[in-house]
Amino acid sequence: MDVTERDALIAVDIQVDFLEGGALGVAEGSRILPIVNRLMPLFRHVALTRDWHPPDHLSFTENPAYRDRSWPAHCVQSTPGAGFAPGLLIPTHAFTVSKGTHVDREEYSSFQAMEADLTGWLRARGVVRVFLAGLATDYCVRFTALDAARQGFQVCVIEDAVRGVAPQTVEEAWHEMGAAGVRRIHSRELLHGPAGARSDAMPAGVD
Ligand code: VGL
Ligand code: ZN
């Protein structure tokens, strides 16, 4: 499958707190980094989303159950844990979407972000198909994929470029995304980008 100029890559929440050892570490989270770094230069349009919570966000609990609305504090705005994963190669033309920025709102889907209009950004660029990578399969990747499909985009989730919190919810997520018409693909299916795809990038964590 060739990547065209009407495709975008959405890299969901590839942040320090979601990597192994992070506040809400996802098993094998860092394994997606080389894959995402290989894919980035194939795309003319790249959006990076980040969970960007206030310190008293409603999803934070003292004794977290690691499921919906019961998480340890994570990705608190401007803390190291909220930073993009070190070594993630961020294209200089990438669009950043911060979500979960309000105390009383959960925003698993990047399309719900109040301060950024991801749909408008994609449509303005003529994007018709989005490819998703990132963390976590069962929460932010899942709800971003479902919203993208609802907005009328073709959606492909790159199975080896995502990792999830728990096997059962990951299973549910694949099932629900499949029922919504979301395709599950492997990164090896993506080999070529369009002419003029841009490859200038800056590693995260180096300012
Ligand atoms: C996420 C749990 C809590 C995610 C964000 O990015 O998938 N999961 N906040
Ligand atoms: Zn969160």
Side-chain angles (χ1 to χ4, degrees):
M1 185 186 333
D2 284 343
V3 176
T4 80
E5 56 199 26
R6 295 170 82 76
D7 291 329
L9 179 66
I10 304 178
V12 177
D13 300 4
I14 308 181
Q15 294 169 272
V16 171
D17 272 344
F18 293 125
L19 302 179
E20 300 92 324
L24 178 36
V26 172
E28 300 186 348
S30 64
R31 295 246 218 133
I32 70 171
L33 291 171
I35 298 166
V36 175
N37 281 345
R38 181 184 77 75
L39 295 176
M40 291 272 203
L42 301 183
F43 286 84
R44 188 172 286 184
H45 315 288
V46 176
L48 294 175
T49 78
R50 61 179 180 184
D51 222 25
W52 196 246
H53 295 313
D56 50 350
H57 190 250
L58 87 167
S59 73
F60 299 171
T61 44
E62 292 273 319
N63 297 299
Y66 289 82
R67 55 172 160 73
D68 205 14
R69 295 209 170 186
S70 180
W71 306 111
H74 62 277
C75 298
V76 174
Q77 293 166 14
S78 306
T79 63
F84 289 116
L88 182 67
L89 291 174
I90 300 177
T92 52
H93 62 286
F95 179 58
T96 301
V97 175
S98 301
K99 61 185 179 56
T101 57
H102 294 266
V103 179
D104 56 349
R105 260 175 73 93
E106 182 58 285
E107 291 173 343
Y108 290 135
S109 164
S110 313
F111 289 90
Q112 290 178 308
M114 291 182 74
E115 272 97 29
D117 179 10
L118 182 56
T119 305
W121 185 84
L122 293 166
R123 295 232 167 97
R125 279 155 188 78
V127 171
V128 299
R129 185 170 60 170
V130 296
F131 289 80
L132 267 58
L135 307 167
T137 317
D138 31 359
Y139 293 94
C140 290
V141 171
R142 170 193 199 163
F143 291 103
T144 300
L146 294 173
D147 270 354
R150 237 174 254 137
Q151 304 271 344
F153 296 102
Q154 296 168 51
V155 187
C156 300
V157 174
I158 306 162
E159 63 179 6
D160 54 322
V162 296
R163 287 294 187 281
V165 174
Q168 193 192 326
T169 39
V170 167
E171 208 44 59
E172 284 167 22
W174 285 120
H175 184 78
E176 196 180 8
M177 292 190 290
V182 172
R183 282 185 59 190
R184 176 175 178 166
I185 67 158
H186 193 279
S187 67
R188 76 169 86 84
E189 295 176 59
L190 301 175
L191 292 175
H192 304 286
R198 291 152 66 170
S199 58
D200 45 333
M202 292 282 291
V206 181
D207 298 305

